[in-house]
Amino acid sequence: MHNTRYAPSGMVCSVDHLASAAGLAMLERGGSAADAAIAANAVLAVVAPHMCGLGGDLFALVHDGATVTALNASGRAGSGADPARLRAEGHTRMPHLHDIRSVTVPGCVDGWASLHGRHGRLPMAELLAPAIRLASAGFPASPLMVAGAANAARRPGGGDFASVRAAGDRVTRPGVARALQALAGHGRNGFYLGEFGQGLVEAGAGEYVEADLAAPGADWVEPLRTRAHGHDVWSMPPNSQGYLLLMSLAIAEGLDLPASPSHPVWAHLLAESARIAGHDRLDVLHEDTKDLLDPAEITRRRSRIDSRSRLRLGGPGQDGDTTYLCVIDGDGMGVSLIQSNASGFGSMVFEPRTGINLHNRGIGFSLKPGHPAEYGPGRRPPHTLTPALITRPDGSLRSVVGTMGGDAQPQVLLQVITRLLRHGEEPGRAIAAPRWRLGTGGTGFDTWDAPDDAVLDLEEGGGWSDGLAALGHRVAALPYGSSFGHAHLIDVRPDGMLAGAADPRSLVGAAIGR
C-alpha cells in the first residue's frame, strides 16, 4: 500500500485523520501553514497522548518562501534538578519511567506561541477550537492508543483512559480541554502559570519553581544543512540529533549505492553510514555542541565503510513514541513539526489537576559527573527529535518530511530521503517501503550504548535478510508496523503540485489537501 495524495494549493499530513482535517480547515479559512500545524498538533495533543501532548516538547523547521528557520521548543530541567541526589540513590542513568525528575518543563505550548507569533494569521483561540471540542465532547480511541491505555489508566491522574477497551471507544479529556481553554483565553501564561503549571510545581515537590515556568522556553535558532543528491537538506542543531541525519546523508552520497533499494548492499551501505555517524553520539551530543558536520570528518568516517562487510567500530561509545506532521500552504510556506512525549505516554507521570501526561525527555541527560550533557538546573537534554526540510538549489521548497521512532528517526529519514531524491520514488512508495533500523531490543533510546552490539532489525517485505547476514550483520525479522516509525512527507513537484503521503503504519493517518 503506497498511496500518494495530490493537491494544488495546500496539504496537511499527520498521524491522525482528525488532526489533518483540523489543519486543513485552517488553510481553508485563510490560515498559514503555521496556523494549520498548530491546529493539527493541538488535536494530536488530545487524541494521541500515547505519542505527544501538552506535556511534551516540540521542534519545527519553517520555510517562509525565502529562508529556512528553526524553532527549538524543548524544555529545560527545573531549578531543583540535582544529579548528585540521583547518583546517591544508586542511579547510573536517568529514570526511564515513573519519576518526575526525567520531566523537563514541557516546551510544546511555548513552541505553539512562538510559531504563531512569527507566522500565524488566525487567532490562537480559533486554532485550538477543534482540539477543545474533541477533548470536551469526546473522540474515538485509535487502534494504537488502545495498547497502552490500560497501563496509563492505572497511574494516578490517568483516569481519562479508564474506559478505553477497543478502537472507537469514546474518550473525553476534560482537564486537557480546560488547559487549552486557558491557553486560548490568556496566552502561554494561562497554561504555564495557570492550573497546569500550579499542578506541575506541586507534583515536582521541589523540582520546579514558578520562575521555571514563567520564562518562555522556545528559541529560534540557526538550522543545520548539508548538500545531498543535488538538494539542501535541513534539520535541527543540537540539542537535537538532527546532525546524524545530515551526516549520514553526506557519508552515503559518496558511496557507490546500488541502483535499486531492494539490493542488500543498498541497505548495508546506508546502515553503515548511520552507524559510523552515530556511534559516538552519547559522547558528543549536548546543547552546546558545535561543528559536527566538518567535511574532513565526514570524509574520514566514509573511508572506513566497506561495501563487502560490516564495520567493527571498536567498542562501545558512550520504544519511543513521538508524532510528526507537516503542512504546505497556498503561499508556499512549509512547516516540518515534530512533537513528542519520548516513550509512549511519556514518563507515566500525570500532572494531577488536568490529567496531562508528562514526557520523559530528561532520559537524554547523562549522570556522569562533568559530562557536557549532565542533568542539571536549566539545561536541555540531548533529543532524538529530527524534523527535516528539503530545498532546491535555488532555495525554493522541495519537501517537508519527518518521522517518529526514538533513536531510529535519522535512520528512517535517511532511507526515505534517499528513495525520494536519489531514486525518484513517489512519496507514497518512499514512505510505505519496508525499512531497517539499528535495534537493541531495549527502550528505543539505547542504540548507542553499545553500537557494535546493535542488531539490524528488518521490516518484513524488504528482502535484504540473507544478503545482509552474508555481509556480517546480525539481523532480526520483525512485522511491518509502527515500531519502524510513522513517517510523513509532502513534496512540491516542479509544476507546483503537492504530492503527499501519510505512513500506513499509523493506521489512521491522513494526507489531505485543497
Side-chain angles (χ1 to χ4, degrees), residues 265-479:
V265 172
W266 185 88
H268 165 70
L269 291 176
L270 290 188
E272 291 294 270
S273 298
R275 291 178 66 238
I276 197 66
H279 74 282
D280 57 352
R281 196 200 81 174
L282 296 188
D283 292 329
V284 303
L285 179 60
H286 51 88
E287 62 180 317
D288 298 317
T289 302
K290 307 292 183 186
D291 301 324
L292 286 171
L293 296 177
D294 178 66
E297 180 62 14
I298 289 171
T299 299
R300 185 189 73 80
R301 295 192 187 211
R302 184 191 296 125
S303 70
R304 297 184 63 192
I305 296 175
D306 188 334
S307 64
R308 299 163 298 179
S309 63
R310 182 181 189 266
L311 170 68
R312 178 71 182 173
L313 293 168
Q318 297 281 318
D319 246 47
D321 276 301
T322 293
T323 192
Y324 171 79
L325 65 92
C326 47
V327 184
I328 296 178
D329 64 25
D331 295 325
M333 176 185 288
V335 175
S336 179
L337 185 151
I338 192 163
Q339 208 257 299
S340 177
N341 293 331
S343 298
F345 280 85
S347 62
M348 296 298 280
V349 177
F350 292 78
E351 186 279 301
R353 296 190 180 195
T354 62
I356 291 172
N357 49 305
L358 304 172
H359 71 113
N360 58 339
R361 278 289 159 193
I363 59 176
F365 283 124
S366 173
L367 285 181
K368 294 180 181 178
H371 191 284
E374 185 181 10
Y375 171 61
R379 309 204 67 191
R380 281 176 165 150
H383 249 275
T384 59
L385 298 184
T386 309
L389 185 148
I390 304 169
T391 55
R392 293 184 170 88
D394 65 1
S396 63
L397 179 63
R398 167 69 195 266
S399 309
V400 281
V401 59
T403 185
M404 56 85 98
D407 285 345
Q409 288 179 38
Q411 301 157 35
V412 171
L413 292 177
L414 172 63
Q415 297 167 76
V416 170
I417 292 172
T418 300
R419 286 179 178 274
L420 178 76
L421 298 183
R422 186 178 182 116
H423 301 288
E425 292 187 358
E426 281 286 293
R429 182 174 292 276
I431 290 293
R435 300 168 185 157
W436 55 263
R437 70 174 184 197
L438 300 174
T440 63
T443 64
F445 297 90
D446 53 7
T447 304
W448 307 115
D449 289 353
D452 263 324
D453 295 337
V455 174
L456 204 54
D457 291 336
L458 305 179
E459 197 170 30
E460 63 184 0
W464 303 308
S465 182
D466 291 344
L468 288 170
L471 291 165
H473 294 275
R474 290 190 302 134
V475 300
L478 296 178

Side-chain angles (χ1 to χ4, degrees), residues 59-378:
F59 290 90
L61 297 165
V62 180
H63 188 286
D64 64 4
T67 59
V68 179
T69 53
L71 178 62
N72 183 338
S74 61
R76 298 181 181 276
S79 296
D82 185 352
R85 179 183 172 193
L86 278 168
R87 289 191 287 263
E89 294 173 6
H91 294 281
T92 58
R93 61 193 310 163
M94 294 296 292
H96 194 77
L97 296 175
H98 309 143
D99 195 315
I100 203 164
R101 291 172 293 187
S102 289
V103 181
T104 58
V105 175
C108 172
V109 167
D110 269 334
W112 293 349
S114 293
L115 188 59
H116 185 256
R118 180 174 287 199
H119 295 294
R121 296 176 191 159
L122 302 177
M124 181 66 87
E126 188 171 351
L127 305 182
L128 300 180
I132 293 170
R133 175 179 54 80
L134 289 166
S136 300
F139 59 90
S142 75
L144 296 180
M145 179 201 284
V146 173
N151 284 336
R154 285 193 285 268
R155 299 293 302 170
D160 288 353
F161 311 105
S163 63
V164 177
R165 299 288 184 273
D169 286 351
R170 184 180 295 272
V171 185
T172 59
R173 306 189 67 194
V176 176
R178 295 195 305 274
L180 289 167
Q181 288 164 342
L183 171 62
H186 303 287
R188 61 89 55 198
N189 285 349
F191 178 76
Y192 287 104
L193 301 182
E195 183 182 16
F196 170 82
Q198 293 165 11
L200 184 65
V201 170
E202 292 168 5
E207 184 73 5
Y208 321 98
V209 297
E210 185 175 293
D212 297 331
L213 282 73
D219 302 303
W220 291 97
V221 297
E222 189 71 24
L224 297 181
R225 68 171 169 171
T226 195
R227 179 58 64 93
H229 310 300
H231 292 74
D232 285 323
V233 183
W234 304 75
S235 193
M236 295 295 305
N239 55 318
S240 161
Q241 66 170 354
Y243 83 95
L244 288 183
L245 167 63
L246 304 187
M247 182 181 282
S248 299
L249 281 165
I251 290 170
E253 187 173 27
L255 301 173
D256 187 16
L257 287 181
S260 172
S262 64
H263 197 294
V265 172
W266 185 88
H268 165 70
L269 291 176
L270 290 188
E272 291 294 270
S273 298
R275 291 178 66 238
I276 197 66
H279 74 282
D280 57 352
R281 196 200 81 174
L282 296 188
D283 292 329
V284 303
L285 179 60
H286 51 88
E287 62 180 317
D288 298 317
T289 302
K290 307 292 183 186
D291 301 324
L292 286 171
L293 296 177
D294 178 66
E297 180 62 14
I298 289 171
T299 299
R300 185 189 73 80
R301 295 192 187 211
R302 184 191 296 125
S303 70
R304 297 184 63 192
I305 296 175
D306 188 334
S307 64
R308 299 163 298 179
S309 63
R310 182 181 189 266
L311 170 68
R312 178 71 182 173
L313 293 168
Q318 297 281 318
D319 246 47
D321 276 301
T322 293
T323 192
Y324 171 79
L325 65 92
C326 47
V327 184
I328 296 178
D329 64 25
D331 295 325
M333 176 185 288
V335 175
S336 179
L337 185 151
I338 192 163
Q339 208 257 299
S340 177
N341 293 331
S343 298
F345 280 85
S347 62
M348 296 298 280
V349 177
F350 292 78
E351 186 279 301
R353 296 190 180 195
T354 62
I356 291 172
N357 49 305
L358 304 172
H359 71 113
N360 58 339
R361 278 289 159 193
I363 59 176
F365 283 124
S366 173
L367 285 181
K368 294 180 181 178
H371 191 284
E374 185 181 10
Y375 171 61

